[in-house]
Amino acid sequence: MKASGENKEIKEPASSKKTEVVIHAKGIAKAFGDKEVLKNINFDLKRGENMVVLGKSGMGKSVTIQCIVGMLKPDAGTLTVLGENVAEMGDEELKQLRMKIGFLFQSGALYDSMTVRENLEFPLTRVLKLTDQQDIDKRVEEVLDGVGLLDAIDKLPSDLSGGMRKRVGLARTLIVKPEIMLYDEPTTGLDPITSREISELILHMQQKYKTSSIIITHDMECARITADRIVVMDDGEYIAEGSYKELQKSDNKMVRSFFNETT
Amino acid sequence: MAEQAITGWRRWAEGIGEQCVFFARFFRNIFAGGFEWSEFVRQCYEIGYRSMMLVGITSFIMGLVLIVQLRPSLVDLGAASMLPKTLTVSFIREIGPVITAIICAGKIASSIGAELGSMKVTEQIDAMEVSGANPLQYLVVTRIFATSLMVPLLSIIGDAIGLFGGFLALNITDSISFSLYFNKCISSLDFSDFLPAVVKTVFFGFAIGFVGCYKGYHSNKGTESVGIAANSAVVTASLWIFVIDAIAVQITSILFYH
């Protein structure tokens, strides 16, 4: 555990070999008007690692991952993703980078005018520019089978339950085989059983596709199942870092409050 | 008070600036390659085919009502034989295109505004963007092209149905054969009546598509904003139709009637 107690000090990430670190964030700050959402965010995400970001709602957890994909631009700091500085990228470079990053939205964000099959074909034909229909069908069926929803291939999103939508959203993200996965509260709005299934699916998919992941959540069960490492965010900064077991023993009130709910 | 006025003007100027940027992005994406033909055809079906009934009924009633309204005045003037010509010229030049465009503003601009607004609220547009796909090319370019193509076609169909409505109205009180009526209609038309009307409906269609897409694409994240986007799209598109019509009539007068 890197920090504990009432002080909000967190150590700078230890320098790693360039090839091992897929995301390097240093001193990231972002404000909306007068409200400083991110103040000083520092972290390294290593290849193959699952990093969970815990924090209260409205603390800027999602803003961090939106900065990673270039949806938002940090006001200060350096954000390097797969060796490239996101702030210095042009439109085309950003597009190329986004092809290597999967982003699972809280709602699943399925295209509601398209069937599940068309949703999954969309990134293959528009992003990877695949034209061979047999190859496309094979990939769609393979990834849908992976999330256990092959039967729903011709259904519309409106015919799916919340958990199924999340699964399809995950399948659509994974179909392009991204190197990095960003999950924005993947279990929000789901019942405990489905939440657990989604968390296990995230872990399974991470192992299958060898992705590095950042999982934004305040679901402790999801954090316990998926996290290699957990960082806790408060007031625009990361205040503690460690494994689930390490943070369980933290004497920081804020960190304890998350774990107390589950014990 | 003055501060509010300044804020209001600043917002208005910002809105104009945003629309210019959106127009530039739309224009750039036309030539970005990979035109979405299947989505374009789907939009043509949604916009064109699904609006045909509404445009047809409205035009039919307009043609019928115009004849009923015009007849007494023209009979008083001893010019009852001018009824087909009067209806044709007024319908083809002005009433048909404007009525069709207003109907389309109400139906299509609001539907595009609401659809894209709801896609924005449910993060579907963000999902397209972060996946590396091009939402502007898929959602905006196709819709604007579809409205620019389908509104003129709907207007032409509406004109024909409106004239047919006029024929039926004329036969309530008078007796005129279908072939004589349509001969009179066609012979009263000139190239300068038809071409400017078709050209301006292309601009009407463009305005309807552009405003609908802009309002939907720039709606805020909240369910209320979907309604605001749809409503604002109808109002703005309708206003643009009259502005374009006013400009078009000036240009047409200079080019054809002087």
Side-chain angles (χ1 to χ4, degrees):
Chain A
M1 186 167 47
K2 288 191 176 178
S4 62
E6 287 299 319
N7 72 3
K8 290 186 176 180
E9 189 185 332
I10 189 162
K11 287 177 187 172
E12 288 275 321
S15 59
S16 315
K17 280 182 188 174
K18 220 175 184 180
T19 49
E20 286 184 331
V21 176
V22 286
I23 300 177
H24 173 69
K26 191 176 179 187
I28 300 297
K30 178 74 188 169
F32 296 99
D34 296 336
K35 194 182 178 195
E36 277 186 279
V37 178
L38 303 181
K39 287 178 184 168
N40 180 27
I41 297 294
N42 301 286
F43 70 88
D44 278 349
L45 179 73
K46 296 188 182 99
R47 190 170 293 280
E49 183 186 31
N50 268 0
M51 182 176 100
V52 167
V53 181
L54 284 177
K56 287 191 288 185
S57 297
M59 285 291 130
K61 302 188 299 293
S62 300
V63 173
T64 315
I65 56 173
Q66 286 174 358
C67 288
I68 292 170
V69 286
M71 284 169 81
L72 294 172
K73 209 171 178 180
D75 299 332
T78 315
L79 188 54
T80 312
V81 181
L82 297 168
E84 306 280 342
N85 188 342
V86 180
E88 291 170 0
M89 284 182 173
D91 285 352
E92 194 49 43
E93 288 166 309
L94 201 55
K95 192 177 162 187
Q96 294 299 320
L97 177 72
R98 284 169 172 174
M99 287 163 70
K100 297 173 191 163
I101 303 174
F103 195 119
L104 183 68
F105 286 84
Q106 197 174 332
S107 60
L110 299 182
Y111 311 134
D112 49 19
S113 61
M114 302 179 197
T115 62
V116 169
R117 182 195 294 276
E118 288 164 343
N119 261 282
L120 268 66
E121 283 179 353
F122 192 87
L124 294 178
T125 51
R126 268 80 179 187
V127 181
L128 298 185
K129 311 274 182 199
L130 297 185
T131 50
D132 180 4
Q133 193 57 45
Q134 271 189 331
D135 183 28
I136 292 169
D137 289 345
K138 195 181 147 202
R139 284 188 188 219
V140 168
E141 282 164 21
E142 186 190 317
V143 77
L144 263 185
D145 194 33
V147 297
L149 280 177
L150 198 51
D151 294 345
I153 193 163
D154 291 316
K155 285 187 176 169
L156 282 167
S158 54
D159 300 328
L160 305 176
S161 67
M164 288 162 93
R165 282 176 188 222
K166 291 264 168 80
R167 282 168 183 265
V168 176
L170 181 59
R172 189 182 65 187
T173 315
L174 288 168
I175 202 165
V176 292
K177 299 194 169 102
E179 290 180 44
I180 300 167
M181 278 295 295
L182 307 172
Y183 298 91
D184 190 4
E185 303 196 10
T187 58
T188 299
L190 301 177
D191 62 83
I193 297 165
T194 314
S195 291
R196 192 186 165 86
E197 283 173 5
I198 294 288
S199 304
E200 282 167 355
L201 187 64
I202 288 171
L203 187 65
H204 175 68
M205 288 295 162
Q206 185 257 339
Q207 287 160 355
K208 186 177 175 184
Y209 290 91
K210 313 274 184 248
T211 55
S212 317
S213 312
I214 296 179
I215 301 152
I216 305 290
T217 189
H218 36 66
D219 174 359
M220 293 309 295
E221 182 68 356
C222 174
R224 190 186 64 76
I225 292 169
T226 57
D228 294 320
R229 178 163 59 107
I230 298 174
V231 290
V232 182
M233 191 172 179
D234 188 33
D235 199 22
E237 291 179 284
Y238 288 165
I239 56 162
E241 181 180 354
S243 68
Y244 187 90
K245 280 185 179 169
E246 285 170 341
L247 289 179
Q248 246 182 336
K249 295 169 199 156
S250 169
D251 51 3
N252 181 305
K253 268 188 190 171
M254 166 73 186
V255 178
R256 288 286 302 168
S257 67
F258 276 102
F259 289 87
N260 283 345
E261 282 176 17
T262 55
T263 53
Chain B
M1 187 76 174
E3 213 170 274
Q4 275 183 334
I6 291 167
T7 312
W9 277 103
R10 193 195 291 160
R11 276 190 193 153
W12 181 81
E14 280 171 3
I16 297 289
E18 269 184 8
Q19 286 182 46
C20 292
V21 171
F22 191 65
F23 180 78
R25 289 178 69 196
F26 157 75
F27 204 71
R28 200 175 62 183
N29 274 287
I30 297 172
F31 303 105
F35 187 75
E36 295 280 351
W37 284 105
S38 59
E39 179 62 9
F40 170 70
V41 171
R42 193 176 78 85
Q43 287 304 322
C44 285
Y45 171 78
E46 294 287 335
I47 289 164
Y49 182 73
R50 297 223 165 153
S51 308
M52 208 179 282
M53 182 69 93
L54 191 61
V55 169
I57 292 169
T58 320
S59 301
F60 178 80
I61 293 169
M62 282 308 294
L64 194 127
V65 166
L66 271 172
I67 286 289
V68 172
Q69 297 271 28
L70 279 170
R71 194 179 173 281
S73 308
L74 288 182
V75 167
D76 284 351
L77 292 167
S81 63
M82 294 287 284
L83 269 170
K85 179 177 180 166
T86 314
L87 177 72
T88 306
V89 172
S90 58
F91 217 95
I92 301 290
R93 276 192 193 174
E94 185 62 26
I95 296 167
V98 172
I99 288 291
T100 305
I102 293 293
I103 293 289
C104 290
K107 188 177 184 296
I108 300 166
S110 63
S111 127
I112 293 176
E115 188 187 8
L116 296 196
S118 124
M119 286 183 80
K120 182 90 176 176
V121 170
T122 53
E123 298 173 315
Q124 293 175 51
I125 293 179
D126 289 340
M128 271 187 201
E129 207 162 321
V130 296
S131 73
N134 188 339
L136 267 159
Q137 207 165 39
Y138 183 76
L139 300 170
V140 175
V141 173
T142 51
R143 278 163 177 77
I144 295 178
F145 269 74
T147 52
S148 304
L149 176 70
M150 296 319 286
V151 171
L153 289 177
L154 285 170
S155 175
I156 292 167
I157 293 165
D159 288 348
I161 296 172
L163 294 182
F164 181 70
F167 165 73
L168 289 184
L170 208 53
N171 271 283
I172 295 170
T173 49
D174 304 302
S175 180
I176 184 168
S177 72
F178 187 74
S179 58
L180 178 63
Y181 174 78
F182 266 92
N183 269 336
K184 280 187 170 233
C185 291
I186 300 296
S187 62
S188 62
L189 275 181
D190 198 21
F191 180 72
S192 62
D193 296 316
F194 190 72
L195 184 75
V198 172
V199 172
K200 78 177 172 187
T201 51
V202 175
F203 285 97
F204 289 164
F206 181 87
I208 289 165
F210 182 81
V211 170
C213 289
Y214 172 76
K215 295 290 179 184
Y217 210 87
H218 289 86
S219 63
N220 295 323
K221 288 192 171 176
T223 45
E224 191 192 22
S225 61
V226 177
I228 293 170
N231 184 270
S232 171
V234 177
V235 174
T236 314
S238 305
L239 189 67
W240 269 113
I241 287 161
F242 288 109
V243 171
I244 292 167
D245 195 38
I247 296 167
V249 81
Q250 296 299 324
I251 295 170
T252 310
S253 302
I254 293 165
L255 291 177
F256 294 101
Y257 308 136
H258 282 294

